[in-house]
Amino acid sequence: MAAIEHRRTALERVEKFLSDTYFTDCNLRGRWAARGLPGPPPGRSAGPRGLRGRCPGRCRPLFGDRCPPASLSCFRTPRRIPYQEAVAQQFGPARVGESFGPTWETCWFKVELSIPPAWAGREVHFVWESDGEGMVWRDAQPVQGLTKEGEKTSYILTRSLKESEPHSLTLYVELACNGLFGAGKGSMIAPPDPDRRVTLSKAELVVFNRDVYELLVDLEILLDMAQLLGEENQRSFQALYTANQMVNVCDVTDPSTFPAARDLAAAIFSQRNGESQHTIHAMGHCHIDSAWLWPYEETIRKCARSWVTVVHLMEHNPELTFACSQAQQFQWVRSCYPGLYARIQRLAAKGQFIPVGGTWVEMDGNLPSGESMVRQFLQGQRFFQEQFGRICTEFWLPDTFGYSAQLPQLMRGSGIRRFLTQKLSWNLVNSFPHHTFFWEGIDGSQVLTHFPPGDSYGMQGRVAEVLKTVKNNKDKGRVNHSAFLFGFGDGGGGPTQKMLDRMKRMRDTDGLPRVQISTPDQLFSVLEKESSQLCTWVGELFLELHNGTYTTQAQIKKGNRECERVLHDVEVLSSLAVAQDSAFQYPASQLQQLWRLLLLNQFHDVLPGSCIQLVVEDALQYYTEIRRAGAQLQQEAVQCLCRDLLQPQACSTHSSLVLNTLAWERTEVIASPGPDGTETLALVTVPSMGYALVQEPFVPPQPVAVRKQEDGSITMENGVIAVCLDTMGRLTSLQLLDSGRESVPDGCYANQFALFDDVPLYWDAWDVMDYHLQTRKPVTTLLQPLEITLAGGLRGSVSFSLQVGKSSTLTQEIILDAMCPYLRFLTQVEWKEAHKFLKVEFPVQVRSTNATYEIQFGHLQRPTHWNTSWDWARFEVWAHKWLDLSEHGFGVALLNDCKYGASTHRNVLSLSLLRAPKSPDATADLGHHQFTYAVMPHQGSFQEAGVIQQAYNLNFPLHVVPASRAQCPAWSAFSVSSPAIVLEAVKQAEDRPEAVVVRLYEAHGSTVTAWLQTPLPVKEAMLCDLLERPLAQGHLPLEQQGLRLSFTPFRVLSVLLVWSH
C-alpha cells in the first residue's frame, strides 16, 4: 500500500535501523553488537559444543555463535624477534582482559583453537581486539595484520567450514605494545608514554553472518546517497525510498527476508550513469611513514602487517590493485619476511601489487641536496628494476612538506613523467588552484601532475568521499578522471574488505561518479589523452604550513649536510684513485650501504625533525656510522691517490698535502698540524679537484688587521672587506674596500640575534606561525664582551658570549681570513629553551623586491614584500647553502654550513638557527650546538661575485694530510672552463667499473657552452640520464680542449667517461 513518506522521518528511520546506539535490541546493527555469556576460564574449553552467544528468536547477529580459544598463552620480550626464535620460548598463561606492556614491548601469544563441528558450512573468523598492533602467524608464515584503529580485527579461517578442513589449529599472534600511531601520551603527536599498556579485549572464534554484513553495506550506501545528494536531486529520494522499503521488507529475526531487501538495493545500484559522468580511479594504498611516532624497527613490522593483509585481500578480490612506494620498505620485507616478499613479487607480476614512486624512501621535498635527490631516484629505480623487472613511471610523494622546483627535471632524468601528491591541500592560507596540471621546474622540464581531489591518500570508499572528489576538483571541464587512494595510512593498515564492497556498489550507479578499480598507469594514461586544456604551474610547490621543519632537530640537519659532504668527497677521491691506479678497488658496496643510510634519514618525518626521540637517536647513530666509515674510505683513497707523496723518505721534509674536492681553484687559509702537534696557519692555492703541497709560505697581498677601539668596539679588515663590531658582536659597519660601499644601514646592527615565542596551533615540531613575528625580542644580555682572540696576519678573530632567553648561552668566534671575501661566524650554543625560536638578522643597505635562495642544482627568487596572501604565506622559507639580496651592482649574501630555514623581509636577511618544540620529542634540540654562517658583501651580481663557489667552499673544507715531500707539482683531475658550471659529483658508474659518471649543472641561470677538461685517461665519453643510461645521440667527441658541453639555465648533465686502462 502506498503511503506518504516524510523525508526527515524516513531518513531517521533508516539511520536508527543501522544505529549502533539506538534500538540495538531490534535493529540490524544490533546483529553486529550482540554479545553472549562469558566464556570459560583461560585454558579450559567451552564445553563439548563450544557454542555461546546465540540470540534465539530475537535477531541474527553479524557475528553469531562464539567460542573462546581452547588455550591462550603468551611470551613477552623487549626485543623485536623473528618468528622462529619466538615460538621456541617458554609461554605462560594469558587471558582476555589482561594488559600488556610497557610501550614498545612485544608479546607473542600462542592461540589454540577448536572449531565446533556444529559450525559446518559456516563462515568462521578468529576475532582479536587489542590496543596494540597484531600479526597473525599460521604455519610459520604471517597471514593477517590486526589493528583495531585500522578496522582489522578478524582473520578469516574459512568461508564455509568443510568436514575435511582442520577443526583444531594453532595460531600465533605477535602483538606490538603500541598503537597504529605510536603511543603518544594524551594526544597523537605527544611524546610517547613509556608506560602505556595495551589490553587484550577479545580473542575468540565466531561465526560470521555474511548476509547481515552485505545488507548493512547496501543500506549504508543508500542512506549516504539519500543524505548527501540533497533534496534537489531525485536520486536522493529514490535511494531514500528504497532504503525505507528495505526496512519494511526486512525482518531481522528471519534471514529469509534479506534477499528480497537486497534485491531492492541491487535495482538502484544497477541503474547506470551517462557517458559524461566523472570517473574515479580507485587504487588501494597504505602510506607507511618509514619512521615517525615509532622507530625504524617498528616500521618493518608495520610493512609486513599491512602488506600481508593486502595480499590476503587480493586472494579473494582479484580486481584489487595496490600502489606501494619506497624501495627501502620493500627491501626490509625482502630481508625479514622472504615468504611474504615472494608472494608480493608474484602479485606484482600480475599487475596487482604495483611499485610506485621510484625513490628509496618518500623523502623530504625541500632539504636534501640535488645529488641526494638524484640518489633517491637512482637507488629506488635500480631496486625496482632488479626486483620487479621495471622502473616506476610516476613519482609518488603524497605527504611531504613542499616540493622543490628542481624536482621536475630530476623526475624526467630518472624515467618519470608523472607526479602524484596531495599535501598542498593542507595549505593554511591559499587554496592551490589545480588538481591536474603540468608542473614546470626551473629548467623548463615539465611533468603531468595530479592531486587526488578528495585531498587525502586514506579514503575509505564512502559516498561522501567520491562526491567530494568530483565537487572539489578544480579542473572540471579540462579532465574527467581523478585518483582515489583508499586504505588506512601513515601508521599502516591499508585497504579493508568493506572499502572494496562499498566501491563495488558504486561502480556505475546513476547519481554517483563512476568508481573503477584502476592503476596509476591507467589514470595517467587517460589524463595524458585529456591534457590539451591543462594549465601549467611554474616553480616550486610551496606548502603554506610545516615551515618549522626547516629548523627543528638541528643535529639531524647538520648530520645530513655533513654526510652529504662526506660521501661526495669519498666518491671523488675514490674515483680519482681508480683513474690513477686501476688496482685500487672502488668501494661500491660500502658506498651503496652508506648512501642508503643517508637516504633513509631523508625520509619526510626524519630530516624535517618531526619524529620521536627514538627516531632521532637512530638517525644520529646512522650519521655517526657514515662519518666513521666515510673517514676510513677517504683515508684509503688518499693513500692510493697520493701514495708517493705520503711515504716517509730519507731526509724527508715535513710538509702538508692539501686536497680540493671542488672543481675550481681555491686560495684559502688552512690550519696544518706542525711537527710538535701545534697547528700552523698557511695560505695555500689548490687547483681544481686536485691537490698541492704546502711549500714556501704564501704571503697575502694584505694581512688581516684587527684593532680595538677606545669604545670597546673592534675593527677587522683584510684588503677585501672591513668590519666594525660593537661589544656584543654586532656589525655596525661592513664595507667592500674596493668600492667603499657600506652594507649596514645607519643605526642598524647586523649579526643581531633575536628570540621569538614559538607556540603553534597544534603541529609543534612542524609549524612556526606567522604571529611569532610579533614576539621578537633582540638578544642583548652580554656575558663576555667582545675581545680579540687572534690579532691578525693570516687570520684575525674576536669572540664574545651572550645569554639567550632564560638559561641558554651563545658563544661566537668571528673570523676573518686573509683574501677571504666573507666574514664567518663560528657559533656555539648551549640551548635550554622551550617553545622559543632563535634567529640571526642582517639588515643590509640593499633595495630589491626579490631575494635569491639556493635550491637543488640552482636557485630561485622569492618576494621580500607581503603584497599578496601568496607572498605573506612565505614568511619563513628554506634555502640550502646561501641566500642573497642584491640590487644592480651590489648585494649581500648569507652563507651557512648546516642551516635551512631563512627569510628576507624588506631589507633584512634572516637565518633560522634553533627551535625548541616539545612534541613529538620533548627533548628536541636541547643541548650543545655548533654551526657556522658567513656574510659576504659583493659588487655586481651574486653570480659574478662567486657567491655560489664561496658557499661551496664553506661547506667543503680543504683536506690537509701530513706529507713527506717538500716539492711536488700541483695536480688537477677535472676543471670546467665556465664559472656558471658546477661539477657536482664524480662517482663510479653503477654497472661499469671501468667508467665514472661526472655530474654538472648550470648554476647562474644562463645558456652557456663549457669545456670539461681532464688529464685522466679517457677513451670514450657520452651523455647519460640520471639512471646512467646512455642517451640517444649522446656521444661526445674527445677534443684537445676537452669535452664540449652545452647548457641551458639550470640544466643538469651527467657524463659517462670510460677509462682507457
Side-chain angles (χ1 to χ4, degrees), residues 688-702:
S688 167
M689 205 161 275
Y691 58 74
L693 277 172
V694 177
Q695 298 175 351
E696 294 300 317
F698 178 18
V699 179
Q702 182 171 332

Side-chain angles (χ1 to χ4, degrees), residues 635-684:
Q635 183 180 1
E636 292 169 4
V638 171
Q639 287 289 335
C640 176
L641 180 63
C642 310
R643 184 180 296 118
D644 294 342
L645 304 177
L646 306 179
Q647 294 296 333
Q649 298 177 0
C651 304
S652 64
T653 305
H654 181 85
S655 58
S656 293
L657 181 72
V658 185
L659 297 102
N660 173 18
T661 58
L662 299 177
W664 47 80
E665 182 180 274
R666 298 164 66 176
T667 298
E668 296 179 19
V669 174
I670 61 162
S672 60
D676 57 354
T678 59
E679 283 195 339
T680 304
L681 296 179
L683 183 63
V684 299

Side-chain angles (χ1 to χ4, degrees), residues 575-576 578-580 971-975 983 986-987 992 994-998 1012-1023 1034-1045 1055-1061:
S575 298
L576 301 188
V578 171
Q580 293 283 66
W971 179 76
S972 170
F974 287 102
S975 61
L983 196 167
V986 181
K987 64 178 289 291
R992 301 184 66 173
E994 80 284 7
V996 295
V997 172
V998 177
L1012 174 64
Q1013 296 147 338
T1014 178
L1016 299 174
V1018 177
K1019 72 174 182 181
E1020 188 180 5
M1022 66 198 81
L1023 295 176
H1035 179 77
L1036 297 170
L1038 302 175
E1039 303 182 48
Q1040 188 174 0
Q1041 291 175 268
L1043 296 175
R1044 188 175 189 270
L1045 302 173
V1055 183
L1056 192 69
L1057 302 178
V1058 182
W1059 303 133
S1060 59
H1061 63 252

Side-chain angles (χ1 to χ4, degrees), residues 276-293:
S276 66
Q277 184 58 275
H278 192 87
T279 299
I280 285 175
H281 292 250
M283 297 165 245
H285 187 50
C286 177
H287 179 68
I288 302 178
D289 289 320
S290 290
W292 180 28
L293 304 175

Side-chain angles (χ1 to χ4, degrees), residues 458-511:
M459 297 297 198
Q460 297 182 26
R462 299 183 183 277
V463 171
E465 295 167 344
V466 300
L467 292 176
K468 178 183 178 181
T469 295
V470 178
K471 181 180 180 181
N472 200 42
N473 192 330
K474 295 188 174 74
D475 295 283
K476 289 190 285 281
R478 297 190 183 100
V479 290
N480 207 25
H481 296 259
S482 297
F484 186 90
L485 309 181
F486 65 94
F488 289 98
D490 291 328
T496 66
Q497 184 64 53
K498 193 167 190 179
M499 295 175 191
L500 283 165
D501 291 337
R502 288 173 182 143
M503 290 185 292
K504 287 174 184 175
R505 289 159 171 79
M506 295 187 284
R507 185 179 296 122
D508 192 4
T509 296
D510 185 27

Side-chain angles (χ1 to χ4, degrees), residues 610-630:
S610 50
C611 51
I612 61 172
Q613 184 180 357
L614 281 175
V615 179
V616 175
E617 291 169 358
D618 285 345
L620 296 181
Q621 180 58 43
Y622 290 164
Y623 292 135
T624 299
E625 171 61 17
I626 294 168
R627 290 185 187 103
R628 184 201 61 76

